[in-house]
PDB file of all heavy atoms in Angstrom:
ATOM      1  N   GLY Y 193       1.039   0.800   0.306  1.00 98.00           N
ATOM      2  CA  GLY Y 193       0.190   1.962   0.405  1.00 98.00           C
ATOM      3  C   GLY Y 193       0.254   2.526   1.803  1.00 98.00           C
ATOM      4  O   GLY Y 193       1.133   2.147   2.629  1.00 98.00           O
ATOM      5  N   LEU Y 194      -0.647   3.469   2.130  1.00 98.00           N
ATOM      6  CA  LEU Y 194      -0.620   4.155   3.409  1.00 98.00           C
ATOM      7  C   LEU Y 194      -1.494   3.391   4.413  1.00 98.00           C
ATOM      8  O   LEU Y 194      -0.953   2.779   5.363  1.00 98.00           O
ATOM      9  CB  LEU Y 194      -1.113   5.572   3.214  1.00 98.00           C
ATOM     10  CG  LEU Y 194      -1.307   6.423   4.452  1.00 98.00           C
ATOM     11  CD1 LEU Y 194      -0.041   6.545   5.231  1.00 98.00           C
ATOM     12  CD2 LEU Y 194      -1.842   7.816   4.087  1.00 98.00           C
ATOM     13  N   ALA Y 195      -2.784   3.430   4.245  1.00 98.00           N
ATOM     14  CA  ALA Y 195      -3.709   2.794   5.189  1.00 98.00           C
ATOM     15  C   ALA Y 195      -5.078   2.653   4.510  1.00 98.00           C
ATOM     16  O   ALA Y 195      -5.355   3.354   3.543  1.00 98.00           O
ATOM     17  CB  ALA Y 195      -3.871   3.704   6.404  1.00 98.00           C
ATOM     18  N   PRO Y 196      -5.901   1.725   4.968  1.00 98.00           N
ATOM     19  CA  PRO Y 196      -7.197   1.536   4.348  1.00 98.00           C
ATOM     20  C   PRO Y 196      -8.093   2.815   4.444  1.00 98.00           C
ATOM     21  O   PRO Y 196      -8.014   3.548   5.437  1.00 98.00           O
ATOM     22  CB  PRO Y 196      -7.871   0.430   5.184  1.00 98.00           C
ATOM     23  CG  PRO Y 196      -6.716  -0.216   5.934  1.00 98.00           C
ATOM     24  CD  PRO Y 196      -5.684   0.799   6.076  1.00 98.00           C
ATOM     25  N   GLY Y 197      -8.872   3.027   3.429  1.00 98.00           N
ATOM     26  CA  GLY Y 197      -9.864   4.070   3.483  1.00 98.00           C
ATOM     27  C   GLY Y 197     -11.149   3.570   4.179  1.00 98.00           C
ATOM     28  O   GLY Y 197     -11.446   2.365   4.099  1.00 98.00           O
ATOM     29  N   ALA Y 201     -11.150   0.058   1.521  1.00 98.00           N
ATOM     30  CA  ALA Y 201     -10.540  -1.177   2.020  1.00 98.00           C
ATOM     31  C   ALA Y 201     -11.091  -1.549   3.359  1.00 98.00           C
ATOM     32  O   ALA Y 201     -11.236  -2.765   3.671  1.00 98.00           O
ATOM     33  CB  ALA Y 201      -9.015  -0.995   2.085  1.00 98.00           C
ATOM     34  N   PRO Y 207      -6.985  -4.458   0.261  1.00 98.00           N
ATOM     35  CA  PRO Y 207      -6.349  -3.169   0.086  1.00 98.00           C
ATOM     36  C   PRO Y 207      -6.794  -2.413  -1.150  1.00 98.00           C
ATOM     37  O   PRO Y 207      -6.954  -3.021  -2.205  1.00 98.00           O
ATOM     38  CB  PRO Y 207      -4.835  -3.531   0.004  1.00 98.00           C
ATOM     39  CG  PRO Y 207      -4.701  -4.828   0.699  1.00 98.00           C
ATOM     40  CD  PRO Y 207      -6.015  -5.523   0.481  1.00 98.00           C
ATOM     41  N   PHE Y 208      -7.028  -1.134  -1.016  1.00 98.00           N
ATOM     42  CA  PHE Y 208      -7.361  -0.240  -2.101  1.00 98.00           C
ATOM     43  C   PHE Y 208      -8.685  -0.590  -2.781  1.00 98.00           C
ATOM     44  O   PHE Y 208      -9.030   0.039  -3.785  1.00 98.00           O
ATOM     45  CB  PHE Y 208      -6.255  -0.200  -3.180  1.00 98.00           C
ATOM     46  CG  PHE Y 208      -5.049   0.580  -2.748  1.00 98.00           C
ATOM     47  CD1 PHE Y 208      -3.999  -0.076  -2.093  1.00 98.00           C
ATOM     48  CD2 PHE Y 208      -4.947   1.927  -2.956  1.00 98.00           C
ATOM     49  CE1 PHE Y 208      -2.871   0.639  -1.685  1.00 98.00           C
ATOM     50  CE2 PHE Y 208      -3.840   2.666  -2.543  1.00 98.00           C
ATOM     51  CZ  PHE Y 208      -2.801   1.986  -1.927  1.00 98.00           C
ATOM     52  N   ASP Y 211     -11.695   2.002  -2.668  1.00 98.00           N
ATOM     53  CA  ASP Y 211     -11.124   3.353  -2.443  1.00 98.00           C
ATOM     54  C   ASP Y 211     -10.926   4.004  -3.791  1.00 98.00           C
ATOM     55  O   ASP Y 211     -10.540   3.369  -4.763  1.00 98.00           O
ATOM     56  CB  ASP Y 211      -9.745   3.200  -1.765  1.00 98.00           C
ATOM     57  CG  ASP Y 211      -9.871   2.862  -0.287  1.00 98.00           C
ATOM     58  OD1 ASP Y 211     -10.550   3.617   0.417  1.00 98.00           O
ATOM     59  OD2 ASP Y 211      -9.287   1.860   0.146  1.00 98.00           O
ATOM     60  N   ALA Y 213      -8.451   5.653  -4.725  1.00 98.00           N
ATOM     61  CA  ALA Y 213      -7.067   5.390  -5.143  1.00 98.00           C
ATOM     62  C   ALA Y 213      -6.926   4.054  -5.849  1.00 98.00           C
ATOM     63  O   ALA Y 213      -6.013   3.824  -6.642  1.00 98.00           O
ATOM     64  CB  ALA Y 213      -6.152   5.447  -3.920  1.00 98.00           C
ATOM     65  N   ASN Y 248      -0.213  -2.347   3.217  1.00 98.00           N
ATOM     66  CA  ASN Y 248      -0.316  -0.957   3.686  1.00 98.00           C
ATOM     67  C   ASN Y 248       0.648  -0.764   4.842  1.00 98.00           C
ATOM     68  O   ASN Y 248       0.860  -1.693   5.657  1.00 98.00           O
ATOM     69  CB  ASN Y 248      -1.731  -0.628   4.153  1.00 98.00           C
ATOM     70  CG  ASN Y 248      -2.653  -0.263   3.029  1.00 98.00           C
ATOM     71  OD1 ASN Y 248      -2.325   0.608   2.173  1.00 98.00           O
ATOM     72  ND2 ASN Y 248      -3.808  -0.906   2.940  1.00 98.00           N
ATOM     73  N   HIS Y 326       1.422   9.278  -3.863  1.00 98.00           N
ATOM     74  CA  HIS Y 326       0.270   8.391  -3.606  1.00 98.00           C
ATOM     75  C   HIS Y 326      -0.817   8.705  -4.619  1.00 98.00           C
ATOM     76  O   HIS Y 326      -1.061   9.859  -4.967  1.00 98.00           O
ATOM     77  CB  HIS Y 326      -0.240   8.624  -2.144  1.00 98.00           C
ATOM     78  CG  HIS Y 326      -1.181   7.581  -1.720  1.00 98.00           C
ATOM     79  ND1 HIS Y 326      -2.466   7.524  -2.206  1.00 98.00           N
ATOM     80  CD2 HIS Y 326      -1.071   6.539  -0.840  1.00 98.00           C
ATOM     81  CE1 HIS Y 326      -3.091   6.462  -1.638  1.00 98.00           C
ATOM     82  NE2 HIS Y 326      -2.233   5.874  -0.818  1.00 98.00           N
TER      83      HIS Y 326
HETATM   84  N1  URA K 529      -6.630   2.210   0.393  1.00 55.30           N
HETATM   85  C1  URA K 529      -5.604   1.453   0.833  1.00 55.30           C
HETATM   86  O1  URA K 529      -5.769   0.265   1.103  1.00 55.30           O
HETATM   87  N2  URA K 529      -4.418   2.048   0.961  1.00 55.30           N
HETATM   88  C2  URA K 529      -4.171   3.329   0.684  1.00 55.30           C
HETATM   89  O2  URA K 529      -3.064   3.815   0.826  1.00 55.30           O
HETATM   90  C3  URA K 529      -5.268   4.084   0.229  1.00 55.30           C
HETATM   91  C4  URA K 529      -6.482   3.526   0.084  1.00 55.30           C
END
Side-chain angles (χ1 to χ4, degrees):
L194 174 59
F208 286 91
D211 285 306
N248 279 309
H326 193 287

